[in-house]
Amino acid sequence: MFLDKVLSLIPSDMLVELAAETEVDIFSKKLQAEVIFKLLLHCLISHKDNSLRTMESAYETLLFASINQNFQKKSI
């Protein structure tokens, strides 16, 4: 899978540090910054036309669930 190769280039510690530095997770209750970053990257690579509805559908797929194993699956 191409997305796994791209995500392996970015250490997850770096994403955690960036989220802490920018304080994007302070008011987030459902989706953390790391999940949103992975979702955006997944949608940019795999979908021609992107929208919030497309991202919601992609979030609920088994493919994204396999990418996002560290976080609990929540509905959005």
Side-chain angles (χ1 to χ4, degrees), residues 26-43:
I26 288 178
F27 299 109
S28 176
K29 293 183 181 179
K30 290 190 175 186
L31 295 175
Q32 302 300 321
E34 186 175 349
V35 176
I36 293 173
F37 178 78
K38 288 179 181 180
L39 182 62
L40 283 170
L41 197 59
H42 169 68
C43 288

Side-chain angles (χ1 to χ4, degrees), residues 18-27:
L18 186 61
E21 182 180 315
T22 57
E23 300 178 346
V24 294
D25 289 335
I26 288 178
F27 299 109

Side-chain angles (χ1 to χ4, degrees), residues 30-31 35 59 68-75:
K30 290 190 175 186
L31 295 175
V35 176
Y59 179 80
N68 193 33
Q69 293 174 355
N70 296 342
F71 296 92
Q72 292 179 347
K73 182 156 174 85
K74 299 179 183 177
S75 63

Side-chain angles (χ1 to χ4, degrees), residues 35-53:
V35 176
I36 293 173
F37 178 78
K38 288 179 181 180
L39 182 62
L40 283 170
L41 197 59
H42 169 68
C43 288
L44 286 172
I45 291 173
S46 62
H47 298 290
K48 182 180 177 183
D49 297 322
N50 288 309
S51 66
L52 291 176
R53 195 169 301 259

